[in-house]
Amino acid sequence: MKELSIAFIGAGKMATAIAAGLAKNTTGLKVRAYDVSPAAAEAFTAATGFACCTSMAETLAGAEVVLLAVKPQYAAEALKEAASHLTGKLLISIVAGWKIATLQEHAELDRVIRVMPNTPALAGEGMSCYAPADAVSADDQAVAETILSAVGKVRLVAEKQLDAVTGLSGSGPAYVMEFIMGLADGGVFCGLPRDAALELAIQTVLGTAAMCREAPAKIAELRDAVISPAGTTACGIMELQNGAFKATAAKAVIAAAKRSEELGKNK
């Protein structure tokens, strides 16, 4: 990664999070960005310390890696403008729904990596799954993993699995926030002030996730260690089971994955 030149097409929240992670965790990088919105460009520079250019050509000149971070409806236009400047570069796309073949066609480029990140990247705790095109080398994959790991965990998947990734880790933060809000609502009902209930709920989810990350194969054991026979947690778990909590969570992932597949059919 030392002295690698990276260009961002799009300087929104996710691009800013990745660039800020790179600024914090790596050295010697040359990073530039381009965004049609002056406000987004200004915010990007303020948060990362990296400059934004005033044209696509200036941004891409000399870059070895290009990270496409625009909204799906703007991707075709952005790649049309960028295509003549992408020869020989590695394109990493976080554009939702855009398949590798579509990216290759619009970018007129073979070395393409498609990524599905998620919003916890904004807090440095993201989960990014990526699928490389056939023309992508092991070195290209290593570069992509280094960039993405600046904002969290990274995992290689097959492109056909990215709809499932979208349903789980892509949409999952919203499910977790619903759960946090539900926990807090219960606390308020039982007499806690709203701010205290939210703090307890957030820290409980955060701490439990940290425990699970240390021992992912033992989550059931960790759960059972909290459940005393005929105790308070056993009563709470029974209510979750009565409400089909786990099945509902699984159905949410499946529904989002199916919708992702539908949206991607024409891309």
Side-chain angles (χ1 to χ4, degrees):
M1 289 290 292
K2 189 175 181 181
E3 297 183 356
L4 187 70
S5 180
I6 304 173
F8 285 80
I9 300 177
K13 290 182 179 179
M14 192 63 70
T16 300
I18 295 172
L22 290 170
K24 181 179 179 180
N25 297 301
T26 57
T27 57
L29 294 178
K30 297 178 181 178
V31 176
R32 289 173 292 183
Y34 172 72
D35 198 293
V36 294
S37 166
E42 183 178 342
F44 179 93
T45 299
T48 68
F50 295 127
C52 277
C53 301
T54 57
S55 72
M56 183 77 77
E58 181 186 1
T59 304
L60 299 181
E64 299 160 83
V65 179
V66 177
L67 201 148
L68 181 65
V70 298
K71 293 181 179 179
Q73 61 267 36
Y74 302 130
E77 183 180 351
L79 287 176
K80 181 179 180 181
E81 183 179 355
S84 62
H85 307 286
L86 292 176
T87 304
K89 305 183 191 302
L90 170 65
L91 178 66
I92 300 174
S93 169
I94 63 170
V95 178
W98 274 59
K99 296 179 180 179
I100 289 173
T102 305
L103 291 163
Q104 289 176 318
E105 179 183 352
H106 282 77
E108 301 176 18
L109 193 66
D110 291 328
R111 292 167 60 217
V112 170
I113 294 177
R114 180 183 170 192
V115 182
M116 181 65 218
N118 67 0
T119 55
L122 301 175
E125 289 288 350
M127 181 70 243
S128 298
C129 292
Y130 75 94
D134 292 339
V136 170
S137 68
D139 286 344
D140 289 337
Q141 290 186 43
V143 168
E145 290 195 6
T146 300
I147 292 172
L148 298 171
S149 65
V151 290
K153 298 287 186 178
V154 186
R155 190 178 186 95
L156 171 66
V157 299
E159 185 177 21
K160 64 182 180 181
Q161 296 174 323
L162 284 175
D163 290 321
V165 169
T166 300
L168 204 169
S169 61
S171 300
Y175 313 154
V176 175
M177 290 173 194
E178 280 285 297
F179 179 54
I180 288 172
M181 292 170 67
L183 289 176
D185 286 346
V188 171
F189 181 86
C190 293
L192 290 173
R194 173 64 64 178
D195 62 336
L198 279 170
E199 182 181 12
L200 268 63
I202 292 167
Q203 186 60 31
T204 297
V205 171
L206 181 64
T208 303
M211 290 173 60
C212 292
R213 182 159 60 183
E214 292 298 316
K218 297 183 178 180
I219 292 177
E221 293 179 28
L222 292 170
R223 178 203 60 191
D224 291 345
V226 187
I227 305 173
S228 300
T232 59
T233 308
C235 290
I237 287 289
M238 181 59 69
E239 287 299 314
L240 291 177
Q241 291 177 345
N242 287 340
F245 178 73
K246 285 201 295 183
T248 301
K251 288 178 180 178
V253 173
I254 294 167
K258 287 182 177 179
R259 181 56 176 160
S260 175
E261 184 179 359
E262 291 171 0
L263 293 173
K265 282 182 177 178
N266 296 322
K267 294 186 177 64

